Tab-separated table of all heavy atoms in Angstrom:
chain	number	residue	atom	x	y	z
A	15	LYS	N	230.955	71.472	3.407
A	15	LYS	CA	231.394	70.133	3.611
A	15	LYS	C	230.644	69.063	2.814
A	15	LYS	O	231.137	68.147	2.276
A	15	LYS	CB	231.206	69.814	5.121
A	15	LYS	CG	232.208	70.415	6.011
A	15	LYS	CD	232.064	70.036	7.439
A	15	LYS	CE	233.175	70.652	8.295
A	15	LYS	NZ	232.962	70.222	9.732
A	16	SER	N	229.320	69.263	2.483
A	16	SER	CA	228.531	68.419	1.775
A	16	SER	C	228.992	68.375	0.380
A	16	SER	O	229.050	67.383	-0.295
A	16	SER	CB	227.037	68.769	1.901
A	16	SER	OG	226.635	68.698	3.177
A	17	LEU	N	229.264	69.540	-0.216
A	17	LEU	CA	229.777	69.622	-1.584
A	17	LEU	C	231.104	68.892	-1.766
A	17	LEU	O	231.268	68.157	-2.749
A	17	LEU	CB	229.883	71.048	-1.910
A	17	LEU	CG	230.422	71.385	-3.439
A	17	LEU	CD1	229.471	70.758	-4.448
A	17	LEU	CD2	230.532	72.889	-3.623
A	18	ASP	N	231.925	68.999	-0.881
A	18	ASP	CA	233.287	68.312	-0.846
A	18	ASP	C	233.052	66.814	-0.850
A	18	ASP	O	233.722	66.076	-1.520
A	18	ASP	CB	234.132	68.792	0.230
A	18	ASP	CG	234.620	70.193	0.114
A	18	ASP	OD1	234.619	70.702	-1.092
A	18	ASP	OD2	235.004	70.890	1.097
A	19	ASP	N	232.116	66.407	0.027
A	19	ASP	CA	231.838	64.977	0.133
A	19	ASP	C	231.310	64.437	-1.219
A	19	ASP	O	231.702	63.284	-1.644
A	19	ASP	CB	230.800	64.774	1.265
A	19	ASP	CG	231.482	64.961	2.607
A	19	ASP	OD1	232.655	65.053	2.741
A	19	ASP	OD2	230.623	65.178	3.623
A	20	GLU	N	230.477	65.198	-1.819
A	20	GLU	CA	229.872	64.681	-3.099
A	20	GLU	C	230.986	64.663	-4.165
A	20	GLU	O	230.992	63.665	-5.011
A	20	GLU	CB	228.774	65.719	-3.525
A	20	GLU	CG	227.550	65.643	-2.692
A	20	GLU	CD	226.519	66.638	-3.154
A	20	GLU	OE1	226.667	67.240	-4.187
A	20	GLU	OE2	225.440	66.732	-2.412
A	21	LEU	N	231.860	65.632	-4.207
A	21	LEU	CA	232.921	65.622	-5.091
A	21	LEU	C	233.863	64.474	-4.872
A	21	LEU	O	234.351	63.873	-5.811
A	21	LEU	CB	233.716	66.960	-5.110
A	21	LEU	CG	232.881	68.186	-5.610
A	21	LEU	CD1	233.690	69.510	-5.362
A	21	LEU	CD2	232.605	68.082	-7.139
A	22	ASP	N	234.192	64.198	-3.647
A	22	ASP	CA	235.008	63.139	-3.272
A	22	ASP	C	234.363	61.797	-3.682
A	22	ASP	O	235.046	60.844	-4.216
A	22	ASP	CB	235.239	63.073	-1.773
A	22	ASP	CG	236.248	64.190	-1.310
A	22	ASP	OD1	236.857	64.746	-2.237
A	22	ASP	OD2	236.248	64.472	-0.118
A	23	ALA	N	233.095	61.735	-3.497
A	23	ALA	CA	232.346	60.554	-3.823
A	23	ALA	C	232.391	60.346	-5.348
A	23	ALA	O	232.473	59.190	-5.866
A	23	ALA	CB	230.931	60.628	-3.362
A	24	LEU	N	232.200	61.483	-6.039
A	24	LEU	CA	232.265	61.362	-7.502
A	24	LEU	C	233.666	60.903	-8.021
A	24	LEU	O	233.762	60.045	-8.940
A	24	LEU	CB	231.958	62.777	-8.069
A	24	LEU	CG	231.934	62.887	-9.639
A	24	LEU	CD1	230.943	61.924	-10.275
A	24	LEU	CD2	231.715	64.301	-10.126
A	25	ASP	N	234.669	61.412	-7.447
A	25	ASP	CA	236.083	60.986	-7.834
A	25	ASP	C	236.211	59.487	-7.518
A	25	ASP	O	236.778	58.749	-8.328
A	25	ASP	CB	237.121	61.750	-7.066
A	25	ASP	CG	237.097	63.215	-7.544
A	25	ASP	OD1	236.568	63.498	-8.645
A	25	ASP	OD2	237.596	64.094	-6.815
A	26	LYS	N	235.694	59.113	-6.348
A	26	LYS	CA	235.772	57.674	-5.923
A	26	LYS	C	235.008	56.761	-6.945
A	26	LYS	O	235.453	55.660	-7.303
A	26	LYS	CB	235.307	57.476	-4.570
A	26	LYS	CG	235.425	56.080	-3.971
A	26	LYS	CD	234.881	56.014	-2.576
A	26	LYS	CE	235.132	54.583	-2.027
A	26	LYS	NZ	234.599	54.430	-0.675
A	27	SER	N	233.895	57.289	-7.338
A	27	SER	CA	233.064	56.456	-8.272
A	27	SER	C	233.774	56.247	-9.677
A	27	SER	O	233.766	55.170	-10.223
A	27	SER	CB	231.697	57.215	-8.577
A	27	SER	OG	230.996	56.508	-9.532
A	28	ASN	N	234.517	57.279	-10.179
A	28	ASN	CA	235.208	57.162	-11.414
A	28	ASN	C	236.370	56.052	-11.281
A	28	ASN	O	236.617	55.225	-12.189
A	28	ASN	CB	235.875	58.461	-11.784
A	28	ASN	CG	234.750	59.408	-12.225
A	28	ASN	OD1	233.701	59.045	-12.650
A	28	ASN	ND2	234.999	60.741	-12.115
A	29	VAL	N	237.077	55.985	-10.175
A	29	VAL	CA	238.090	55.051	-9.908
A	29	VAL	C	237.549	53.668	-9.879
A	29	VAL	O	238.181	52.724	-10.479
A	29	VAL	CB	238.786	55.372	-8.620
A	29	VAL	CG1	239.767	54.246	-8.268
A	29	VAL	CG2	239.609	56.645	-8.686
A	30	ASP	N	236.389	53.469	-9.326
A	30	ASP	CA	235.889	52.131	-9.292
A	30	ASP	C	235.449	51.712	-10.634
A	30	ASP	O	235.623	50.452	-10.992
A	30	ASP	CB	234.598	52.189	-8.364
A	30	ASP	CG	234.958	52.415	-6.890
A	30	ASP	OD1	236.126	52.036	-6.473
A	30	ASP	OD2	234.038	52.762	-6.046
A	31	ASP	N	234.910	52.616	-11.414
A	31	ASP	CA	234.621	52.183	-12.769
A	31	ASP	C	235.804	51.826	-13.570
A	31	ASP	O	235.805	50.774	-14.338
A	31	ASP	CB	233.845	53.377	-13.521
A	31	ASP	CG	232.485	53.647	-12.919
A	31	ASP	OD1	232.010	52.763	-12.144
A	31	ASP	OD2	231.912	54.816	-13.104
A	32	GLU	N	236.913	52.613	-13.399
A	32	GLU	CA	238.103	52.243	-14.116
A	32	GLU	C	238.725	50.900	-13.690
A	32	GLU	O	239.239	50.113	-14.544
A	32	GLU	CB	239.127	53.385	-13.900
A	32	GLU	CG	238.845	54.630	-14.561
A	32	GLU	CD	239.863	55.715	-14.457
A	32	GLU	OE1	240.922	55.386	-13.827
A	32	GLU	OE2	239.713	56.842	-14.773
A	33	LEU	N	238.539	50.653	-12.373
A	33	LEU	CA	239.053	49.377	-11.849
A	33	LEU	C	238.251	48.217	-12.475
A	33	LEU	O	238.791	47.143	-12.828
A	33	LEU	CB	238.925	49.410	-10.322
A	33	LEU	CG	239.521	48.104	-9.613
A	33	LEU	CD1	240.960	47.825	-9.971
A	33	LEU	CD2	239.348	48.259	-8.086
A	34	ALA	N	236.976	48.339	-12.459
A	34	ALA	CA	236.135	47.327	-13.066
A	34	ALA	C	236.425	47.044	-14.516
A	34	ALA	O	236.448	45.895	-14.994
A	34	ALA	CB	234.618	47.713	-12.831
A	35	ALA	N	236.634	48.112	-15.238
A	35	ALA	CA	236.988	47.999	-16.672
A	35	ALA	C	238.333	47.246	-16.861
A	35	ALA	O	238.444	46.497	-17.807
A	35	ALA	CB	237.010	49.372	-17.297
A	36	LEU	N	239.249	47.654	-15.995
A	36	LEU	CA	240.621	47.001	-16.058
A	36	LEU	C	240.437	45.516	-15.793
A	36	LEU	O	241.120	44.649	-16.514
A	36	LEU	CB	241.558	47.669	-15.095
A	36	LEU	CG	243.021	47.141	-15.144
A	36	LEU	CD1	243.628	47.347	-16.530
A	36	LEU	CD2	243.864	47.912	-14.072
A	37	LYS	N	239.739	45.078	-14.839
A	37	LYS	CA	239.620	43.682	-14.507
A	37	LYS	C	238.822	42.888	-15.679
A	37	LYS	O	239.252	41.864	-16.042
A	37	LYS	CB	238.683	43.548	-13.262
A	37	LYS	CG	239.364	43.846	-11.951
A	37	LYS	CD	238.485	43.687	-10.776
A	37	LYS	CE	239.137	43.969	-9.441
A	37	LYS	NZ	238.244	43.730	-8.369
A	38	ALA	N	237.874	43.619	-16.269
A	38	ALA	CA	237.215	42.972	-17.416
A	38	ALA	C	238.169	42.784	-18.663
A	38	ALA	O	238.139	41.697	-19.379
A	38	ALA	CB	236.006	43.848	-17.840
A	39	LYS	N	239.049	43.727	-18.804
A	39	LYS	CA	239.986	43.580	-19.866
A	39	LYS	C	240.985	42.474	-19.695
A	39	LYS	O	241.331	41.729	-20.545
A	39	LYS	CB	240.718	44.889	-19.991
A	39	LYS	CG	241.762	45.016	-21.171
A	39	LYS	CD	242.363	46.346	-21.243
A	39	LYS	CE	243.368	46.439	-22.361
A	39	LYS	NZ	244.002	47.739	-22.466
A	40	MET	N	241.451	42.330	-18.379
A	40	MET	CA	242.342	41.281	-17.979
A	40	MET	C	241.683	39.928	-18.238
A	40	MET	O	242.302	38.982	-18.718
A	40	MET	CB	242.805	41.403	-16.591
A	40	MET	CG	243.749	42.673	-16.423
A	40	MET	SD	244.322	42.883	-14.655
A	40	MET	CE	245.271	41.358	-14.384
A	41	ASN	N	240.486	39.750	-17.813
A	41	ASN	CA	239.773	38.512	-17.914
A	41	ASN	C	239.610	38.156	-19.413
A	41	ASN	O	239.671	36.973	-19.789
A	41	ASN	CB	238.363	38.581	-17.248
A	41	ASN	CG	238.565	38.675	-15.715
A	41	ASN	OD1	239.530	38.143	-15.179
A	41	ASN	ND2	237.610	39.254	-15.056
């Protein structure tokens, strides 16, 4: 369960980064 949580967190972290980059590009 801990490994899955870490992987989920990792996936979530990548999405946040992409969202932040997209906002910066729009600005």
Side-chain angles (χ1 to χ4, degrees):
K15 286 184 178 179
S16 298
L17 178 60
D18 290 338
D19 291 341
E20 292 178 6
L21 292 174
D22 289 343
L24 179 59
D25 292 339
K26 184 178 179 181
S27 177
N28 292 335
V29 171
D30 290 340
D31 291 343
E32 290 181 4
L33 181 60
L36 183 58
K37 286 182 178 180
K39 183 178 181 180
M40 292 176 62
N41 290 333

